[in-house]
Amino acid sequence: MISIRLTAQTVTYETAGKKAQAFFDLAIDAMRVYQPKEAIKHLQDAIKAQPKFADAYGQMGLSYVELKQYTQALEAFTKLQELAPDDMRRVRLANAKALAGNGRFKEALDMVNQFIETAKAPVANADKLKKNMEFAVTTTPVPFQPQNLGDHINSIDPEYFPSLTIDGKTLVYTRRVKGRNEDFFVSAKDSIQWQAAKDMGEPVNSAFNEGAQNISQDGEMLVFTGCDFPDGRGSCDIYYAVKTAEGWQAPKNIGGAINTRAWESQPCLSPDKQTLYFARETDDAGADIFVSQLGKDGQWSRAEKLGPNINTPGRETTPFLHADGQTLYFASNGHPGYGGLDIFYSRKQADGSWGPAVNLGYPINTIEEDASLAVAADGKTAYFASDRSDSRGALDIYSFELYEAARPLPTLYLKGYVYDAKTNARLTASLELIDLQNKLTIATIRSNENGDFIVPLPTGKDYAFSVNKKGYLFYSENFSLKEVKTGEPFEKNLPLQPLEANAVVILRNIFFETKQYALQPASATELDKLVALLKDNPTMQIEISGHTDNVGSDADNQLLSENRAKSVVQYLIQKGIAAERLKAKGFGETKAIDTNDTEAGRAQNRRTELKVISL
């Protein structure tokens, strides 16, 4: 009796009243012209007219799926299940997608399997959803609490592609103004919050579309996508603009080594601005991530695809290299994921290749298109664009704290300027940061015309740092950040000694064990620079001097300093430098440059120096 009564309460299209039928017909017409919002309004009217209208609930669920409003879709499908369980067969695939959109992956997998088992022929969308759900059920949700950046950044227009400088004080992003022209906007951060964003203005913004930009870590170079520009080589090309003391200069096409007749977009610079990553459409209707290196002649190398750990037969887009220079984030629909584009990360390996792609996980990634992630230098704060329920209009920019396993190395930086030690004149010079463990060059920076520089210092490693300019002795420094995770940036102005008789420089990256004079392997980086200096100046003669602190006897310190100087000279001889050009001398503790009352002072006194005897 109960079963018969419930069935009698259910209304189908055939048994609905004319008014409800009319609203349903209008909904179907709206769906035919891809207007699901209008369809839902008509279906709501149909249900008001006929509260048990099962067909209306089924169509409403389908319409909400089209709008990607999966919670409302599930509500409609649940009502359909109550009213007409047998009718669930026709919406089973859409219901599976709605479950997946709400993170109910196991239920979604079960339902899509039911659909496939009863389907009369293979359905590509069902097979793809099954594959995605088979991956999804093997994962666990990750922490994710996005925060809208607020009215100073976001507007009723879409905002997307956020990028930041290494000091975290400048945010540049793309805004589609009034739904038409794309331009860049910039915001400065004070000690508390982001300030009201401003149009970047001419000459970077123009009447053409500029988008998908990346600001360099030092804030002095902008790379971006320009579409249908007069000097373009294809539909979309990569352009760059440089900031000088006079402001931003007119953008230029980055050239034929990178731009082709294909679509090139979404560029990202390495922290030292020597490497460019970008996306290019490929012949298989996909897209891959390419890389190009800036040569010493100032020309970009012919772009090459990244390897199979990054690129697949699918689409790879939106590359973002963190300030650590070792963690690459990108989007892909070719690696195992939840559906659509997902965001992945890869770590640089010891040989310079990129490691396996790792999915960032749900709910950062969803069954929709997820892409364009940027991570601040602190390694924790991530930025992305989304059209969530609290957006000001369409896409807004959000931030969230990236969970620990997916974080890059927190990155500090050294900031200052290079100058002539005798005249105080500012100098343009080359600055190198080298990982002492594997001798890989982490960054190669050039100071600007005013001598200013910013060098990234990823934590967790020990580095050799050197400054080089023709006609000068190189300056060396080291940063021991192996046990460091956070800290204040370093600020230091760096003097270069002109290459002349009696010029002296401390070799800060020559290392010995305590009370030993055998060179540690980490010394090779600095010693090889010294070899190169001597070969570039074949008549130069030098003195290598050893110095100690005051711990131990005078005699022992004198002998130790002499032996350490001799070890350096012996290394140079083994590398082909004539012995008659080299002199070793030990001074023990007699020429202290700092106090011996503290460990920091004693460390300064334990040193190796180079002195130019003659040129």
Side-chain angles (χ1 to χ4, degrees):
M1 290 290 293
I2 294 173
S3 176
I4 294 171
R5 188 175 297 114
L6 288 175
T7 302
Q9 290 174 349
T10 300
V11 177
T12 65
Y13 181 82
E14 290 76 13
T15 60
K18 290 185 178 180
K19 185 175 182 182
Q21 285 180 339
F23 283 128
F24 188 89
D25 290 340
L26 289 172
I28 296 301
D29 290 340
M31 289 300 293
R32 288 195 180 107
V33 292
Y34 306 103
Q35 294 182 339
K37 288 184 179 179
E38 285 299 311
I40 288 170
K41 291 178 183 178
H42 295 311
L43 291 167
Q44 289 170 338
D45 289 337
I47 290 169
K48 286 180 182 178
Q50 202 80 59
K52 303 294 184 179
F53 197 167
D55 289 347
Y57 280 110
Q59 187 58 52
M60 185 177 289
L62 295 172
S63 301
Y64 275 126
V65 168
E66 285 295 313
L67 289 171
K68 302 176 183 178
Q69 296 178 7
Y70 299 120
T71 299
Q72 294 92 325
L74 284 184
E75 291 172 355
F77 289 141
T78 298
K79 193 67 176 177
L80 176 63
Q81 173 73 34
E82 294 173 2
L83 295 171
D86 290 344
D87 287 353
M88 289 299 294
R89 288 194 298 270
R90 66 186 178 87
V91 298
R92 193 170 278 155
L93 187 59
N95 196 11
K97 189 171 183 180
L99 288 165
N102 280 276
R104 294 163 62 176
F105 301 129
K106 179 63 170 63
E107 295 170 77
L109 179 59
D110 291 342
M111 188 159 288
V112 76
N113 279 332
Q114 292 175 32
F115 175 87
I116 291 172
E117 289 169 4
T118 58
K120 295 179 180 180
V123 178
N125 286 347
D127 292 337
K128 186 176 186 305
L129 182 59
K130 177 179 179 177
K131 184 178 179 181
N132 292 140
M133 292 305 97
E134 287 175 338
F135 166 79
V137 297
T138 67
T139 66
T140 55
V142 299
F144 182 55
Q145 294 182 320
Q147 302 292 322
N148 192 297
L149 288 194
D151 296 335
H152 281 178
I153 302 298
N154 295 313
S155 70
I156 60 172
D157 293 320
E159 286 89 14
Y160 41 95
F161 278 109
S163 63
L164 300 97
T165 52
I166 196 169
D167 59 9
K169 295 180 179 179
T170 302
L171 172 70
V172 180
Y173 58 93
T174 303
R175 176 181 289 169
R176 185 178 290 277
V177 181
K178 296 182 180 179
R180 295 192 297 273
N181 189 41
E182 289 181 304
D183 279 330
F184 300 131
F185 282 72
V186 59
S187 173
K189 191 175 187 180
D190 60 21
S191 58
I192 300 174
Q193 63 181 354
W194 292 106
Q195 300 303 296
K198 298 179 180 179
D199 188 319
M200 187 172 276
E202 294 181 345
V204 177
N205 286 335
S206 71
F208 297 99
N209 264 7
E210 299 88 15
Q213 86 303 326
N214 175 252
I215 186 77
S216 64
Q217 294 295 299
D218 62 5
E220 294 186 355
M221 186 174 179
L222 188 77
V223 287
F224 65 92
T225 308
C227 295
D228 300 319
F229 277 32
D231 61 345
R233 297 169 181 265
S235 60
C236 293
D237 278 1
I238 293 172
Y239 288 76
Y240 72 97
V242 175
K243 191 176 185 180
T244 68
E246 288 75 38
W248 287 102
Q249 302 302 294
K252 297 180 181 179
N253 189 299
I254 209 163
I258 291 170
N259 292 321
T260 66
R261 295 182 66 182
W263 173 91
E264 283 93 13
S265 185
Q266 303 161 356
C268 178
L269 285 167
S270 62
D272 60 4
K273 298 186 289 189
Q274 303 299 297
T275 307
L276 180 75
Y277 298 85
F278 64 96
R280 175 187 289 167
E281 283 190 347
T282 51
D283 294 335
D284 57 4
D288 283 331
I289 295 173
F290 285 71
V291 63
S292 175
Q293 306 288 337
L294 186 64
K296 293 183 178 179
D297 60 357
Q299 301 298 310
W300 291 97
S301 66
R302 182 69 55 184
E304 297 180 352
K305 283 185 184 182
L306 295 186
N309 278 347
I310 305 297
N311 290 316
T312 71
R315 289 185 63 82
E316 279 72 43
T317 64
T318 60
F320 171 79
L321 184 68
H322 185 257
D324 70 355
Q326 301 164 65
T327 309
L328 180 70
Y329 297 87
F330 65 99
S332 171
N333 63 8
H335 294 283
Y338 299 89
L341 288 170
D342 278 2
I343 303 171
F344 295 79
Y345 67 89
S346 173
R347 312 279 192 192
K348 184 171 281 190
Q349 307 299 292
D351 63 359
S353 66
W354 290 103
V358 180
N359 193 298
L360 271 186
Y362 176 84
I364 298 174
N365 288 322
T366 67
I367 67 171
E368 308 303 339
E369 303 284 311
D370 300 296
S372 184
L373 183 81
V375 183
D378 66 7
K380 294 192 301 183
T381 310
Y383 296 82
F384 74 112
S386 178
D387 57 353
R388 306 175 75 83
S389 60
D390 63 342
S391 73
R392 272 48 176 173
L395 288 169
D396 275 4
I397 296 176
Y398 291 75
S399 68
F400 67 97
E401 184 173 313
L402 187 61
Y403 65 95
E404 191 166 357
R407 291 176 187 172
L409 290 173
T411 303
L412 307 177
Y413 58 89
L414 171 67
K415 180 180 183 180
Y417 60 83
V418 183
Y419 65 99
D420 186 304
K422 292 188 72 175
T423 67
N424 290 326
R426 300 289 187 95
L427 299 174
T428 300
S430 175
L431 302 90
E432 273 191 310
L433 187 71
I434 298 172
D435 184 332
L436 281 171
Q437 182 176 2
N438 56 29
K439 300 180 184 177
L440 283 178
T441 299
I442 302 299
T444 301
I445 307 285
R446 284 190 67 80
S447 58
N448 65 16
E449 68 273 10
N450 199 40
D452 299 318
F453 65 86
I454 291 180
V455 177
L457 297 172
T459 62
K461 297 188 177 184
D462 293 337
Y463 300 102
F465 173 71
S466 67
V467 186
N468 305 278
K469 184 175 178 63
K470 191 173 181 63
Y472 290 82
L473 288 175
F474 62 82
Y475 175 95
S476 68
E477 188 63 84
N478 64 71
F479 296 92
S480 182
L481 301 179
K482 203 162 192 175
E483 306 300 324
V484 174
K485 291 188 177 180
T486 59
E488 293 297 319
F490 299 87
E491 292 198 24
K492 192 169 187 178
N493 301 324
L494 308 177
L496 290 187
Q497 294 284 347
L499 195 56
E500 59 187 13
N502 296 316
V504 177
V505 67
I506 299 174
L507 303 174
R508 300 183 188 276
N509 292 305
I510 305 294
F511 305 104
F512 303 94
E513 295 288 351
T514 303
K515 298 183 179 179
Q516 302 295 318
Y517 56 85
L519 289 161
Q520 290 186 13
S523 304
T525 297
E526 183 112 314
L527 291 169
D528 290 342
K529 287 190 174 296
L530 182 50
V531 170
L533 177 68
L534 289 164
K535 288 183 176 180
D536 287 343
N537 298 274
T539 62
M540 184 168 70
Q541 296 184 352
I542 64 170
E543 174 186 279
I544 299 295
S545 60
H547 302 264
T548 70
D549 57 28
N550 68 348
V551 176
S553 71
D554 293 354
D556 286 346
N557 285 336
Q558 179 62 34
L559 181 61
L560 180 62
S561 67
E562 290 173 2
N563 285 334
R564 286 180 169 179
K566 289 176 182 177
S567 293
V568 173
V569 166
Q570 188 60 37
Y571 183 97
L572 299 176
I573 292 172
Q574 290 173 351
K575 292 290 184 175
I577 305 301
E580 57 268 22
R581 298 175 61 194
L582 309 171
K583 182 179 179 180
K585 192 168 183 178
F587 289 93
E589 61 192 71
T590 62
K591 291 196 173 185
I593 58 173
D594 206 334
T595 178
N596 277 307
D597 296 333
T598 66
E599 176 50 39
R602 290 191 292 272
Q604 291 293 316
N605 291 331
R606 298 189 297 268
R607 67 195 189 279
T608 303
E609 289 185 350
L610 177 157
K611 179 180 179 180
V612 178
I613 298 173
S614 67
L615 292 172

